[in-house]
Amino acid sequence: MTDTAFDLRATIARLFVYPIKSCAGVELPEVLLTETGLEFDRAWMVVDAQGGFVTQRELPRMALIQPTLKHMEMVLRAPGMLALHIAFDRVEKPVRVKVWRDEVAAYDMGDIAAQWFSDFLSEPGRPQVLRLVRFDPEQKRLSNMAWTDGVEAENQFADGFPLLVTSEASLAELNDKLLAAGHAAVTMARFRPNIVLAGIEAQDEDRVETMHVATAEGQARLQPAKPCPRCPIPDIDPLTAVSSPEVNDMLRTYRAHARVNGAITFGMNCIVLEGVEHLLKVGQSVDANYRFE
């Protein structure tokens, strides 16, 4: 691979995993690439009494639940709560749960975890009955193959694809527009990416073919699949869990995407073509060619 073989070269600037779907992310200097994306990403999920997934869309205080990944456990902290310790090697009974249109196999994480989430996420007069579940690794949940060119791309509890890639330039472009309109700048935490690229132009992540990542184990290849339509979550301040409309309102002025029926988008959903068990690290180079349609 030479510098001149590709249209552009980026650098991995930041890496994030979101161990519990819709809770806060964890920024890491390096992380293992697996069949389902980054290790531990969306491995756990909060469900209601019927086994249906819940997110910040319904319960914005989920943004305030902060995981920390340790050697053998995950530690969860939230305002006013004692820390909750979740062992990596321990689950309880098998259950069936729903995430979007998929019903999948999972494991319940027990009554202590269930009470912790129910207590923190309940509002006065609106008690929540919630459970924490972990994805069953024997379950095979695939991305929509209409977007993956027939590749069987596995996910855990992510919305639909193993990876979300954004760029520093795309966030800077949005913040320039927000500041010009009299709003505060926002952080990348609003958009919940796995990989943030530096050294490319705004929205270049939308315009490229296969991304070739130079790792110590060899080349990893990530295939852009679908522009990421944005729900109300980018409007939620991750530090306060308070929602206000200016982020999506601004995106609506310039980020309607024809490939997803005019939905507003930010970032690119990607699948893993090659590089399972490779270690992604901040600072690694990412080469790609522009896609011409």
Side-chain angles (χ1 to χ4, degrees):
M1 189 185 305
T2 67
D3 289 355
T4 58
F6 293 93
D7 294 334
L8 59 79
R9 167 163 287 185
T11 301
I12 296 179
R14 306 176 77 181
L15 291 164
F16 295 92
V17 298
Y18 306 86
I20 304 174
K21 184 178 182 67
S22 224
C23 294
V26 179
E27 186 166 6
L28 298 169
E30 59 184 42
V31 62
L32 196 67
L33 185 64
T34 75
E35 294 91 341
T36 59
L38 301 186
E39 187 177 32
F40 295 122
D41 190 57
R42 278 83 170 192
W44 291 266
M45 182 171 75
V46 183
V47 299
D48 61 20
Q50 290 73 47
F53 77 113
V54 297
T55 72
Q56 291 181 38
R57 299 171 185 89
E58 308 84 37
L59 300 171
R61 277 167 57 84
M62 292 181 75
L64 304 179
I65 297 173
Q66 181 65 64
T68 301
L69 298 175
K70 297 186 177 294
H71 180 58
M72 292 297 293
E73 66 176 6
M74 173 173 62
V75 182
L76 303 178
R77 294 181 172 83
M81 302 291 290
L82 295 174
L84 176 66
H85 294 253
I86 302 291
F88 290 152
D89 61 353
R90 194 174 308 140
V91 295
E92 296 204 7
K93 65 180 181 181
V95 291
R96 301 288 296 180
V97 298
K98 296 185 287 290
V99 52
W100 295 113
R101 297 179 181 178
D102 299 328
E103 181 178 310
V104 298
Y107 289 97
D108 189 276
M109 298 303 296
D111 290 342
I112 293 174
Q115 193 65 55
W116 193 92
F117 279 90
S118 299
D119 287 349
F120 180 67
L121 294 173
S122 292
E123 298 175 1
R126 296 181 60 191
Q128 299 285 342
V129 179
L130 301 170
R131 310 288 301 184
L132 181 67
V133 299
R134 185 168 185 177
F135 193 83
D136 182 346
E138 297 302 312
Q139 171 77 50
K140 196 170 185 178
R141 178 174 173 250
L142 299 181
S143 299
N144 184 340
M145 287 197 288
W147 289 98
T148 67
D149 294 328
V151 176
E152 292 192 351
E154 296 184 44
N155 306 279
Q156 296 195 76
F157 289 132
D159 277 351
F161 294 88
L163 295 164
L164 178 63
V165 178
T166 63
S167 68
E168 291 182 335
S170 295
L171 181 65
E173 178 185 53
L174 170 62
N175 279 331
D176 286 346
K177 293 177 182 294
L178 287 171
L179 291 168
H183 301 300
V186 297
T187 68
M188 191 63 86
R190 301 260 185 160
F191 298 99
R192 305 176 65 77
N194 297 115
I195 300 172
V196 181
L197 300 178
I200 57 176
E201 298 296 319
Q203 319 309 332
D204 268 351
E205 61 270 27
D206 289 5
R207 296 188 278 261
V208 297
E209 297 178 333
T210 305
M211 301 180 189
H212 302 257
V213 186
T215 78
E217 296 80 18
Q219 178 180 263
R221 294 192 300 133
L222 311 178
Q223 178 66 51
K226 181 185 180 183
C228 184
R230 304 316 307 207
C231 66
I233 288 179
D235 282 333
I236 299 171
D237 185 333
L239 297 180
T240 65
V242 173
S243 180
S244 56
E246 59 269 11
V247 174
N248 274 323
D249 283 352
M250 184 58 70
L251 289 173
R252 202 167 285 113
T253 67
Y254 74 107
R255 287 298 299 159
H257 206 301
R259 289 184 68 199
V260 285
N261 300 317
I264 59 169
T265 69
F266 189 95
M268 197 72 177
N269 289 303
C270 296
I271 64 174
V272 182
L273 294 183
E274 183 181 1
V276 171
E277 301 300 317
H278 291 198
L279 200 61
L280 299 187
K281 297 184 179 183
V282 169
Q284 286 173 337
S285 63
V286 182
D287 292 313
N289 288 320
Y290 287 116
R291 181 186 69 250
F292 296 97
E293 297 178 338

